[in-house]
């Protein structure tokens, strides 16, 4: 077993040993690539635990992705393991501070294999700010993110609208062929709308503006391959029960494979998530 797998298995067990009412979430995802010269299709399986104890919120997650590749140019299929952890401290109803960490095991892309991603976040009322630092072998990525959430309630119907701005800066990108064709700076804007009524949930969202090596989903998704994403559209439905919940999500993205200047790539993701409260 890989040393990182042993480390994170220990972390999962130590977190659960303190848990009284943890929540388990499992996910299964289908990935489909069109017009890519490297990737065909793939599947992603994930598991995560979260626990809220008074003012402390703990989250850990693991995901494994297996992607069928075109051979040549690649000599084998792509296999990636990612490990995530997040801790949030709520000072009161208006303020919270969060720390996150992620790491990557990639059997093909040595430039980002073993990468460490650190995150620091602060929320004050409706405003949130996050700073991420991705430490890779040959280059580094700095990401600053600001968000503002507007919540409204109409009797039993609850809605939230979140606006997100991301700024991504690449350091030492010229040091290798993997990242040298990327731009130094990227800006992208996201809009997310979520509605909740009697346990039913509906969400839609979009990200417009190019991004690369981005940290997404509050630190629980890292795009570590040299793909420059442009347009992203998301939608999802779900139902919350006393025992947990079920969610189905769809994501459509347009991208460019930067090292080989391959434009017009589309990526479609279909995601099923099931959560269970102990």
């Amino acid at each position: 077993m890989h040393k990182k797998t042993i480390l994170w298995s220990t972390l999962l067990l130590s977190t659960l040993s303190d848990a009284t009412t943890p929540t388990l979430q499992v996910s299964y995802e289908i990935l489909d690539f069109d017009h890519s010269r490297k990737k065909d299709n793939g599947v992603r399986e994930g598991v995560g635990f979260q626990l809220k104890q008074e003012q402390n919120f703990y989250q850990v997650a693991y995901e494994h992705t297996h992607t069928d590749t075109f051979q040549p140019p690649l000599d084998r299929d792509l296999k990636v393991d990612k490990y995530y952890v997040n801790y949030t401290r709520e000072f009161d109803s208006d303020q919270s501070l969060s720390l996150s960490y992620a790491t990557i095991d990639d059997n093909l892309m040595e430039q980002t294999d073993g990468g460490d991603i650190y995150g620091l976040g602060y929320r004050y009322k409706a405003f949130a700010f996050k700073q991420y630092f991705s430490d890779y072998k040959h280059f580094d990525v700095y990401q600053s993110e600001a968000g503002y959430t507007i919540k409204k309630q109409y009797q039993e119907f609850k809605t939230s609208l979140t606006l997100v701005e991301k700024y991504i800066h690449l350091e030492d990108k010229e040091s290798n062929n993997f990242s040298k064709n990327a731009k130094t700076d990227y800006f992208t804007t996201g809009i997310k709308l979520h509605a909740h009524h009697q346990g039913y949930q509906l969400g839609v969202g979009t990200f417009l503006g190019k991004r690369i090596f981005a940290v997404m989903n509050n630190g629980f998704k890292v795009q570590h391959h040299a793909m420059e994403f442009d347009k992203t559209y998301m939608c999802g439905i779900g139902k919350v029960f006393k025992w947990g919940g079920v969610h189905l999500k769809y994501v459509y993205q347009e991208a460019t494979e930067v090292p080989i200047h391959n434009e017009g790539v589309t990526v479609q993701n279909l995601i099923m998530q099931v959560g269970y409260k102990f």
Side-chain angles (χ1 to χ4, degrees):
M1 183 181 292
H2 197 283
K3 289 183 179 180
K4 285 188 176 179
T5 304
I6 297 174
L7 171 64
W8 279 84
S9 298
T10 304
L11 176 60
L12 284 170
L13 291 173
S14 63
T15 301
L16 289 177
S17 66
D18 297 330
T20 55
T21 55
T23 299
L24 166 70
Q25 178 175 279
V26 295
S27 63
Y28 183 81
E29 182 173 352
I30 300 172
L31 301 91
D32 181 66
F33 298 85
D34 284 330
H35 308 298
S36 171
R37 295 182 187 174
K38 296 182 179 181
K39 302 176 183 178
D40 187 8
N41 52 63
V43 295
R44 178 177 294 139
E45 299 160 318
V47 59
F49 295 93
Q50 64 181 39
L51 172 65
K52 181 73 161 47
Q53 290 184 323
E54 297 179 348
Q55 295 174 295
N56 302 304
F57 186 40
Y58 308 92
Q59 295 171 284
V60 291
Y62 162 77
E63 66 179 30
H64 173 77
T65 305
H66 184 123
T67 304
D68 296 328
T69 64
F70 297 111
Q71 304 170 24
L74 301 178
D75 60 355
R76 57 191 183 277
D77 287 341
L78 173 65
K79 298 179 182 179
V80 181
D81 295 299
K82 294 181 181 178
Y83 308 84
Y84 305 91
V85 62
N86 184 87
Y87 167 72
T88 301
R89 172 72 176 184
E90 294 182 352
F91 300 107
D92 50 44
S93 60
D94 291 336
Q95 297 185 82
S96 64
L97 184 69
S98 61
L99 300 172
S100 65
Y101 172 75
T103 189
I104 302 165
D105 285 336
D106 189 310
N107 73 321
L108 283 179
M109 305 301 174
E110 65 89 15
Q111 295 89 346
T112 51
D113 176 41
D116 297 308
I117 298 89
Y118 307 90
L120 174 65
Y122 174 73
R123 178 189 61 85
Y124 179 73
K125 294 184 178 180
F127 177 80
F129 177 81
K130 300 181 179 70
Q131 181 66 46
Y132 296 102
F133 170 62
S134 301
D135 182 15
Y136 297 120
K137 291 180 181 178
H138 305 291
F139 66 102
D140 297 323
V141 182
Y142 298 86
Q143 176 176 314
S144 301
E145 177 181 319
Y148 187 82
T149 301
I150 303 170
K151 296 182 180 181
K152 296 290 184 180
Q153 181 170 348
Y154 307 94
Q155 295 182 353
E156 296 182 356
F157 194 84
K158 300 178 181 179
T159 65
S160 65
L161 176 66
T162 301
L163 306 177
V164 180
E165 293 284 347
K166 293 177 181 285
Y167 165 63
I168 299 171
H169 173 75
L170 275 60
E171 190 78 24
D172 296 326
K173 76 177 188 69
E174 302 288 345
S175 64
N176 63 98
N177 292 329
F178 187 70
S179 60
K180 74 175 185 180
N181 292 332
K183 296 188 296 184
T184 302
D185 299 291
Y186 289 85
F187 292 90
T188 185
T189 299
I191 304 173
K192 302 177 183 179
L193 176 64
H194 182 266
H196 188 137
H197 178 65
Q198 294 183 348
Y200 292 94
Q201 297 184 344
L202 173 65
V204 294
T206 182
F207 276 94
L208 302 175
K210 295 181 179 181
R211 67 183 189 273
I212 196 170
F213 303 118
V215 182
M216 309 290 288
N217 193 26
N218 293 318
F220 281 88
K221 182 176 181 60
V222 179
Q223 297 170 334
H224 71 290
H225 284 181
M227 295 185 69
E228 187 180 76
F229 291 94
D230 189 0
K231 301 178 181 67
T232 299
Y233 304 99
M234 307 166 287
C235 64
I237 57 174
K239 180 69 169 70
V240 177
F241 304 94
K242 291 183 178 179
W243 53 265
V246 178
H247 292 84
L248 182 66
K249 301 178 181 179
Y250 171 77
V251 181
Y252 171 88
Q253 301 182 94
E254 297 180 2
T256 298
E257 292 172 325
V258 171
I260 56 176
H261 298 287
N262 182 37
E263 301 178 349
V265 179
T266 62
V267 187
Q268 299 183 73
N269 303 46
L270 185 63
I271 310 159
M272 171 66 77
Q273 295 177 327
V274 178
Y276 180 77
K277 297 179 180 180
F278 289 88

